[in-house]
Amino acid sequence: MYETIQTLHSYFAFVVLAILILAVINALTGWFGNRLFTPEKDFRVSLFALILSHIMLLVGLILFFVSPSGLNAIQELGMGGLSAKARLLAVEHPFTNIIAIVLITIGWSRHKKFLEAQKKFKSIAIFYGIGLLLILSRIPYDQWF
């Protein structure tokens, strides 16, 4: 079961990163290009990024609790006994990504409060962009590919 969830988490990450990058680029081009915020494109792209990132978070949390390098490693070795690689997987990656998803959610919630298109795009661009940067900063690239 662990290997299946880990494979799902790894491959699904490509999809989530791609849609987050698309949502950030779309928001930046809308913000700086003075476009109107359309429900057919802009709303759906940002909503799809929000939904996929939350699904990824759920898969990641399941993986955290069944993984030998997640919660089990912390319980067995303690925080001081973890190597840098184990600490990245057990502590830094999950908690940084939780913060990233919270920021993405804040960006989504804030954009709904605004009526002006530029403020909507700005909220999505900033919060989704910071969330994307946080996610990219804590990916275990040596184990991912």
Side-chain angles (χ1 to χ4, degrees):
M1 179 174 142
Y2 163 70
E3 290 82 17
T4 305
I5 296 172
Q6 184 179 24
T7 303
L8 174 68
H9 187 69
S10 294
Y11 288 117
F12 193 56
F14 288 109
V15 175
V16 173
L17 287 175
I19 192 68
L20 273 174
I21 290 169
L22 178 67
V24 170
I25 291 171
N26 182 57
L28 287 171
T29 58
W31 180 17
F32 293 118
N34 292 324
R35 283 192 294 117
L36 290 177
F37 192 85
T38 61
E40 297 81 29
K41 178 187 170 199
D42 304 314
F43 179 83
R44 289 182 184 177
V45 167
S46 55
L47 178 63
F48 198 54
L50 175 82
I51 291 169
L52 288 180
S53 62
H54 279 85
I55 292 170
M56 184 68 169
L57 175 65
L58 290 176
V59 172
L61 287 174
I62 292 168
L63 184 63
F64 179 76
F65 287 106
V66 300
S67 169
S69 62
L71 187 62
N72 294 335
I74 296 173
Q75 290 173 340
E76 290 176 15
L77 302 173
M79 290 299 287
L82 294 175
S83 67
K85 186 183 273 189
R87 188 182 69 239
L88 173 66
L89 292 174
V91 180
E92 295 169 6
H93 177 74
F95 290 114
T96 303
N97 288 335
I98 289 171
I99 292 169
I101 302 303
V102 167
L103 288 172
I104 290 169
T105 306
I106 290 170
W108 173 258
S109 297
R110 286 193 67 212
H111 109 277
K112 293 190 303 184
K113 295 178 182 178
F114 298 123
L115 297 176
E116 301 88 15
Q118 300 315 306
K119 289 184 178 181
K120 287 178 177 282
F121 283 126
K122 182 179 178 181
S123 177
I124 291 170
I126 291 172
F127 284 94
Y128 280 44
I130 294 170
L132 177 63
L133 289 176
L134 286 174
I135 290 169
L136 290 172
S137 74
R138 293 295 119 204
I139 292 175
Y141 291 103
D142 59 336
Q143 297 176 6
W144 197 24
F145 297 110

